[in-house]
């Protein structure tokens, strides 16, 4: 899976770490099940995987939301242009820390 295609540019590095964490957690769960038959450890690693998966899903939804907003802005721009109204739209992206 190419994580970069599913998240915003500024979230790519974090998404890659989460993806790696997901794979690691599933591998540890598999080892705990096959080698040790330790269901408590299996459950621990599955819960770790689920945490990573939830965060990845949030990053994916964040990108989908931004893509939707950009499509809506583009439609407004095109509609205004069709009506003969010349507008300029500037998209300013800010982080939560600004």
């Amino acid at each position: 899976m190419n994580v970069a295609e599913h998240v915003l540019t500024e979230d790519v590095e974090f998404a890659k770490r989460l993806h790696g964490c997901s794979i690691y957690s599933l591998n540890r769960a598999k080892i705990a099940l096959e080698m040790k038959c330790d269901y408590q450890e299996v459950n621990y690693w599955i819960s770790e995987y689920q945490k990573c998966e939830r965060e990845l899903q949030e990053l994916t939804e964040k990108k989908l939301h931004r893509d939707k907003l950009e499509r809506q802005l583009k439609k407004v721009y095109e509609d205004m242009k069709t009506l003969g109204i010349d507008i300029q739209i500037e998209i300013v992206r800010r982080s939560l820390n600004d």
Side-chain angles (χ1 to χ4, degrees), residues 20-48:
C21 175
S22 297
I23 292 168
Y24 179 79
S25 297
L26 289 175
N27 284 334
R28 290 296 303 260
K30 183 177 185 263
I31 290 167
L33 183 61
E34 288 181 342
M35 305 292 252
K36 302 177 189 176
C37 289
D38 183 345
Y39 290 97
Q40 187 173 359
E41 187 175 345
V42 170
N43 287 330
Y44 170 79
W45 288 110
I46 294 297
S47 70
E48 289 300 307

Side-chain angles (χ1 to χ4, degrees), residues 34-74:
E34 288 181 342
M35 305 292 252
K36 302 177 189 176
C37 289
D38 183 345
Y39 290 97
Q40 187 173 359
E41 187 175 345
V42 170
N43 287 330
Y44 170 79
W45 288 110
I46 294 297
S47 70
E48 289 300 307
Y49 162 77
Q50 290 170 333
K51 289 176 193 175
C52 294
E53 193 277 330
R54 269 193 303 276
E55 289 191 56
L56 272 172
Q57 186 62 36
E58 288 173 11
L59 295 178
T60 300
E61 289 172 8
K62 181 178 164 185
K63 182 180 187 306
L64 291 172
H65 180 69
R66 181 176 293 170
D67 290 349
K68 180 181 176 183
L69 289 176
E70 287 180 355
R71 282 193 306 276
Q72 289 172 338
L73 277 174
K74 185 177 179 181

